[in-house]
Amino acid sequence: MQNHTVGGWLDELASESSTPGGGAAAAMNAAVGAALISMVCNLTVGRPKYAEYEKELTAALAEAEELRGRALRLAGDDAAAFGSVIAAYKLAKATDAEKRARTAAIQQALVGAADVPLRTAELAAEVIALARRILPGSNANVVSDVAVAASSARAALDAAAVNVEVNLAALTDEGHCAAVRARLSSALTAAAEADAVVAEVRERIAK
Amino acid sequence: MQNHTVGGWLDELASESSTPGGGAAAAMNAAVGAALISMVCNLTVGRPKYAEYEKELTAALAEAEELRGRALRLAGDDAAAFGSVIAAYKLAKATDAEKRARTAAIQQALVGAADVPLRTAELAAEVIALARRILPGSNANVVSDVAVAASSARAALDAAAVNVEVNLAALTDEGHCAAVRARLSSALTAAAEADAVVAEVRERIAK
């Protein structure tokens, strides 16, 4: 997605084509959150007033850049995983052997299709944790952008959770479903953390 | 922003430059939400199974396209409004007359700078209302994308609210501040509506 123009990518998102779809949108929201954390770090590091937080925000900047790169790759992984599901459903099902092979291929593809939004949710939770970490030392002029970063990552988290559930709905391996749901639940605790970041920023602005 | 590559736009968002910043990010989140509503409409209209909702979703598609275009323009408006604030702060302040002119220019620029995120919040509320409207008639295969649209628009709403408050903080015209806050409060009621859309989609998926 990164080499498309923003307008062109949104046109594709809006089109009848299933990819890019909600999975890529969630990854994009996470990437926007990570990019804003980078911006806040870039506008804080090197300022004498925030020297106390220099080390912390320099480390956060490197992490935010890494998270943004991962988010962009997840958008591509999502399209590939969706392609595998579609390909599996199209497999021949004339004989019993073909039916079994097709069912196995569909199940395997669904495992992959649930894995991408699960990783997106976990990445979004990392972006939110990073927003919380930089909040005390962020340049006051751009503290509102920390809230925007947290909101955007929270949207990625909520969206990814729905996308995980959609793919688990047709998965028959209950053990795997339970394992994925456990990881998802853990990531989803970051939603409250995002709300706390937004609330704290609002308080600071109101002062 | 629409003619930049996605990767290039995110690089600029992450950079030390203040624009694009949180205002453009909020507009982008709203545009992503609107684009996903278009996608769901495009994948529903013309399907015999959803003939009952054809008229409603055809109308929604046109609205979603219009909202996406407006969101992209708001990202540009945000950069322009921010530029006016910076320019006003740079005005000469050697004489009393200059000081008065500068203060007036800053106040006028802040009114404009608060207006853009206010319109973004109102636009995000429209995207959320549209998500709710299409939910009953959406192609079941892409109902999860209605939730992603609502989440993304909710992030735009929350982000825009913070950006409105940041600009109001330095505005001295209390009457104008009160009028803006009243419109913002009204837009913010859509947050609960977005959560309701996400909850309903989750219920449907779990069935």
Side-chain angles (χ1 to χ4, degrees):
Chain A
M1 102 179 154
Q2 56 182 321
N3 299 321
H4 285 71
T5 64
V6 170
W9 180 73
L10 287 168
D11 282 343
E12 281 188 44
L13 193 62
S15 79
E16 200 166 348
S17 163
S18 297
T19 56
M28 179 68 167
N29 285 340
V32 165
L36 282 172
I37 288 178
S38 289
M39 182 183 84
V40 172
C41 292
N42 277 319
L43 284 164
T44 307
V45 169
R47 304 286 197 279
K49 191 175 169 185
Y50 302 99
E52 185 191 342
Y53 301 100
E54 181 90 12
K55 209 171 158 184
E56 174 71 16
L57 267 75
T58 302
L61 174 58
E63 285 181 49
E65 293 290 300
E66 193 267 329
L67 288 169
R68 175 156 57 105
R70 261 165 60 199
L72 286 170
R73 286 192 294 279
L74 279 168
D77 292 350
D78 189 71
F82 186 80
S84 298
V85 173
I86 297 298
Y89 273 105
K90 283 183 180 163
L91 288 174
K93 50 178 177 176
T95 67
D96 280 352
E98 280 175 354
K99 278 181 194 162
R100 277 194 300 275
R102 179 174 173 270
T103 299
I106 291 170
Q107 290 296 311
Q108 201 187 337
L110 286 171
V111 166
D115 185 58
V116 179
L118 174 62
R119 283 187 287 138
T120 305
E122 290 177 334
L123 183 144
E126 284 187 70
V127 173
I128 292 166
L130 204 49
R132 194 167 202 178
R133 251 175 60 199
I134 67 165
L135 191 50
S138 291
N139 183 331
N141 294 333
V142 284
V143 74
S144 61
D145 294 300
V146 181
V148 178
S151 294
S152 198
R154 190 194 198 284
L157 187 65
D158 292 342
V162 171
N163 291 333
V164 168
E165 287 297 342
V166 156
N167 287 294
L168 292 187
L171 250 189
T172 52
D173 181 343
E174 289 303 329
H176 185 75
C177 288
V180 170
R181 287 202 176 99
R183 276 173 62 188
L184 183 62
S185 287
S186 167
L188 282 172
T189 59
E193 211 179 336
D195 292 343
V197 168
V198 174
E200 191 177 328
V201 168
R202 283 192 165 181
E203 250 177 64
R204 279 218 228 167
I205 291 169
K207 271 174 195 165
Chain B
M1 105 177 154
Q2 55 182 321
N3 298 321
H4 284 71
T5 64
V6 170
W9 180 73
L10 287 168
D11 281 343
E12 282 188 43
L13 193 62
S15 78
E16 201 165 348
S17 161
S18 296
T19 57
M28 178 68 168
N29 285 339
V32 165
L36 282 173
I37 289 178
S38 289
M39 181 182 86
V40 172
C41 292
N42 277 319
L43 285 163
T44 306
V45 168
R47 305 286 198 279
K49 191 176 169 186
Y50 302 99
E52 186 190 340
Y53 301 99
E54 182 90 11
K55 208 171 161 183
E56 173 71 14
L57 267 75
T58 302
L61 173 58
E63 285 181 50
E65 294 289 301
E66 192 268 329
L67 288 169
R68 176 155 58 104
R70 260 165 60 200
L72 285 170
R73 286 191 296 279
L74 280 168
D77 292 349
D78 189 71
F82 186 81
S84 298
V85 173
I86 297 296
Y89 274 105
K90 284 183 180 163
L91 288 174
K93 48 179 177 175
T95 67
D96 279 352
E98 280 176 354
K99 277 181 195 164
R100 278 194 299 276
R102 179 174 173 271
T103 299
I106 291 171
Q107 290 296 311
Q108 198 186 338
L110 285 171
V111 167
D115 184 58
V116 179
L118 175 62
R119 284 188 286 138
T120 305
E122 290 177 336
L123 183 145
E126 283 188 71
V127 173
I128 291 166
L130 204 49
R132 193 167 203 178
R133 250 175 61 200
I134 67 165
L135 191 51
S138 291
N139 184 331
N141 294 331
V142 285
V143 75
S144 61
D145 294 300
V146 181
V148 179
S151 294
S152 197
R154 189 194 199 285
L157 186 65
D158 292 341
V162 171
N163 291 333
V164 168
E165 288 298 342
V166 156
N167 287 295
L168 293 188
L171 252 188
T172 52
D173 181 344
E174 289 303 328
H176 185 75
C177 287
V180 169
R181 287 203 175 99
R183 275 173 64 188
L184 182 62
S185 287
S186 167
L188 282 172
T189 59
E193 211 178 335
D195 291 343
V197 169
V198 174
E200 190 176 328
V201 168
R202 282 191 165 184
E203 250 177 63
R204 279 219 228 167
I205 291 170
K207 269 173 194 164

